[in-house]
Amino acid sequence: MTEDYNLYPLHVFCIVARLGSVTNAARELHISQPAVSSHIRSLETRYDELLFERTPHGMKLTVAGGEVAAYAHRVFATLEDLGSAVRATRGEVKGEVIIAASSTPGSYLIPRLLGMFHERYPEAKPTLLVGDSAEVIAWLNDYLAPIGIVGEGVKATGLLQETVGADELRLVSRANDVLCDTKNITGEHLVRRTLFLREEGSSTRAGAIALLGPLFHHFERTVTLGSTETIKQMVLAGLGVAVLSSWTTEIEEQASLLSPVKDPSLRRERSFFVVRRADRPLSGATSALWTCLTTCSLTQN
């Protein structure tokens, strides 16, 4: 019966699943470790299944635990959406709304769009989660965020998407590098050079490899870094080149520190998309944010 269902053990379960640790969950919840374990056992008793497997690397969800986690995320997301829906019946656009974004739009595009949103709806409180594109899709699928922003090449089923902005991907080097003025770059120009790339799961990494095509294999070495800012600093130091978004190098280009190459084949416009689950209705501040994002497109070339 639903009337005797206490949601707190399910909340504890979600914290343990996210952190992979009873100890860390107890610390975050400000309760004892035995209390955390007791809540987990109460769920396992209710469903007559083990929900976690203890491993040397922490608490790992069993198959049954994965199903409980999927439904739990949906339950808590629905409860959060319920409050927004009720406020919407009063014509209010207020309260917290979460948006997830991959790193490039999250750092350079979304703050501008959220500024426009805040001007329209000052009582709405957007919270931004930033990760790579794969993480954004996972957050949407797990109901941890209702709206996400990703780049091209991200494939996911069950999502609605609309274009929200565009930049230009370009091969970039230090401004005084002879590569900047080379109008037809060949493999011979790259054989002694290092290419800096974003991590796996990044749409910028995928875009870089696609843009370079056969030239990719001519670099002496490739180095993966998890931060665009770190990559820019490495290029500024003359340690290599990188394919970067025009959003990310705007200040450095104005200061004549970085420069995109002139070869037109190594410059390509790229779109960003606002996405959401097709089966998750939007209301209140979340619906207003979706509308704002899909009508306030920004382009950077």
Side-chain angles (χ1 to χ4, degrees):
M1 298 293 290
T2 56
E3 56 264 27
D4 66 353
Y5 202 107
N6 179 2
L7 287 177
Y8 189 70
L10 200 60
H11 172 64
V12 174
F13 164 84
C14 289
I15 301 299
V16 175
R18 174 167 58 83
L19 299 177
S21 165
V22 168
T23 301
N24 292 340
R27 186 178 298 116
E28 180 167 317
L29 292 163
H30 303 291
I31 61 177
S32 68
Q33 293 182 42
V36 171
S37 298
S38 176
H39 286 303
I40 298 302
R41 284 195 301 271
S42 72
L43 288 177
E44 292 178 330
T45 299
R46 186 180 189 101
Y47 298 117
D48 195 25
E49 287 284 352
L50 288 176
L51 303 181
F52 288 103
E53 175 187 357
R54 291 185 178 272
T55 75
H57 303 291
M59 302 285 281
K60 179 181 178 182
L61 288 169
T62 63
V63 173
E67 285 296 309
V68 172
Y71 275 89
H73 291 147
R74 192 181 310 171
V75 166
F76 288 120
T78 300
L79 288 174
E80 291 178 6
D81 293 345
L82 177 58
S84 181
V86 171
R87 287 191 293 271
T89 64
R90 300 193 293 264
E92 297 177 353
V93 178
K94 61 190 300 185
E96 184 181 26
V97 55
I98 298 174
I99 179 171
S102 56
S103 58
T104 296
S107 298
Y108 300 95
L109 170 64
I110 299 308
R112 306 184 193 197
L113 294 174
L114 290 183
M116 298 178 188
F117 177 69
H118 181 68
E119 288 181 3
R120 293 185 187 181
Y121 306 106
E123 292 189 271
K125 308 299 180 185
T127 296
L128 178 62
L129 302 178
V130 179
D132 60 40
S133 294
E135 287 176 310
V136 172
I137 298 302
W139 290 332
L140 292 176
N141 287 334
D142 290 340
Y143 290 86
L144 299 179
I147 298 174
I149 308 289
V150 295
E152 293 178 350
V154 177
K155 300 185 182 301
T157 58
L159 297 180
L160 301 177
Q161 70 174 40
E162 293 193 34
T163 303
V164 69
D167 67 352
E168 187 179 63
L169 280 180
R170 304 90 57 84
L171 182 65
V172 173
S173 67
R174 193 162 61 172
N176 60 358
D177 194 312
V178 296
L179 202 63
C180 295
D181 295 320
T182 305
K183 296 182 179 180
N184 183 24
I185 294 175
T186 67
E188 293 182 359
H189 295 106
L190 307 175
V191 290
R192 295 177 180 270
R193 293 180 178 269
T194 296
L195 174 68
F196 295 105
L197 290 169
R198 287 291 308 279
E199 73 284 357
E200 293 284 351
S202 163
S203 64
T204 296
R205 179 191 180 97
I209 295 172
L211 180 69
L212 292 168
L215 293 177
F216 177 77
H217 302 288
H218 288 276
F219 286 94
E220 183 176 50
R221 66 181 186 136
T222 59
V223 176
T224 297
L225 296 170
S227 163
T228 297
E229 289 302 315
T230 302
I231 289 175
K232 287 197 297 183
Q233 292 302 315
M234 298 295 272
V235 176
L236 283 168
L239 298 175
V241 298
V243 174
L244 294 172
S245 160
S246 55
W247 288 106
T248 69
T249 59
E250 183 177 6
I251 294 175
E252 290 80 5
E253 289 181 46
Q254 291 174 351
S256 298
L257 297 174
L258 293 177
S259 177
V261 300
K262 292 184 177 179
D263 188 337
S265 69
L266 295 176
R267 304 167 70 119
R268 182 181 68 84
E269 187 174 283
R270 173 183 64 164
S271 296
F272 294 114
F273 301 93
V274 55
V275 294
R276 67 180 179 90
R277 291 185 63 110
D279 62 356
R280 184 173 183 178
L282 302 183
S283 61
T286 305
S287 178
L289 178 57
W290 175 270
T291 300
C292 181
L293 292 173
T294 55
T295 57
C296 298
S297 178
L298 292 179
T299 301
Q300 173 81 9
N301 289 309

